[in-house]
């Protein structure tokens, strides 16, 4: 299961469209910070922030509802319609993948192979 999508309670949209993958700036649409909230199987209620840097570095920050913050380093890349994430947060294999789409400039929809999806909002 895609660890990022383990956060439940976040609704998705079936109307999301995937951008033209032949466009060389497509990956740039994902650069920046994205946030979502929900329940993580390991950590409970949480707010999660993914900082996706231009050089491929990824920082996942989890603010726990019970208090405290966890931070995990990793990497991200796109391959066609797939977002590939690697790092210690993505147990048990250290990696996760999902198809992605961006609605407007502010909502990213990630969909795992099992159909689970999650909406992320661009952080200001």
């Amino acid at each position: 299961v895609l660890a990022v999508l383990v956060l439940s309670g976040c609704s998705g949209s079936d109307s999301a469209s995937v951008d033209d993958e032949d466009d060389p700036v497509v990956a740039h649409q994902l650069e920046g910070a994205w946030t979502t909230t929900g329940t993580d199987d390991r950590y409970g209620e949480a707010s999660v922030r993914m900082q996706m840097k231009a050089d491929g570095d990824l920082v996942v920050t989890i603010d726990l509802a019970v208090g405290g913050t966890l931070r995990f380093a990793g990497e991200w890349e796109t391959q066609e319609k797939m977002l590939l994430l690697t790092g210690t947060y993505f147990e048990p294999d250290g990696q996760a993948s999902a198809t992605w789409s961006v609605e407007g400039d502010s909502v990213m929809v990630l969909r795992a192979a099992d159909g689970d999806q999650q909406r992320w909002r661009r952080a200001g």
Side-chain angles (χ1 to χ4, degrees):
V1 173
L2 177 64
V4 173
L5 296 173
V6 170
L7 295 174
S8 62
C10 298
S11 64
S13 170
D14 290 332
S15 64
S17 62
V18 175
D19 295 295
D20 181 3
E21 296 298 329
D22 293 330
D23 185 346
V25 298
V26 167
H28 297 293
Q29 290 180 302
L30 301 183
E31 290 174 12
W34 300 90
T35 62
T36 194
T37 58
T39 303
D40 184 276
D41 286 345
R42 291 173 287 173
Y43 305 116
E45 291 291 320
S47 175
V48 179
R49 177 182 174 105
M50 278 197 308
Q51 177 70 44
M52 301 169 72
K53 299 179 182 179
D55 64 1
D57 284 346
L58 171 72
V59 177
V60 177
T61 304
I62 304 171
D63 291 318
L64 305 173
V66 297
T69 299
L70 302 170
R71 187 163 289 148
F72 300 89
E75 296 179 350
W76 72 280
E77 67 176 293
T78 58
Q79 290 182 357
E80 298 192 19
K81 297 179 184 181
M82 296 298 294
L83 172 62
L84 307 173
L85 305 168
T86 58
T88 57
Y89 177 68
F90 307 103
E91 293 182 353
D93 300 326
Q95 58 187 339
S97 63
T99 59
W100 63 273
S101 62
V102 175
E103 297 175 349
D105 290 332
S106 62
V107 176
M108 174 174 60
V109 179
L110 298 180
R111 182 172 295 176
D114 65 4
D116 285 344
Q117 67 180 14
Q118 188 172 52
R119 297 171 67 84
W120 292 75
R121 300 233 177 252
R122 188 176 294 277

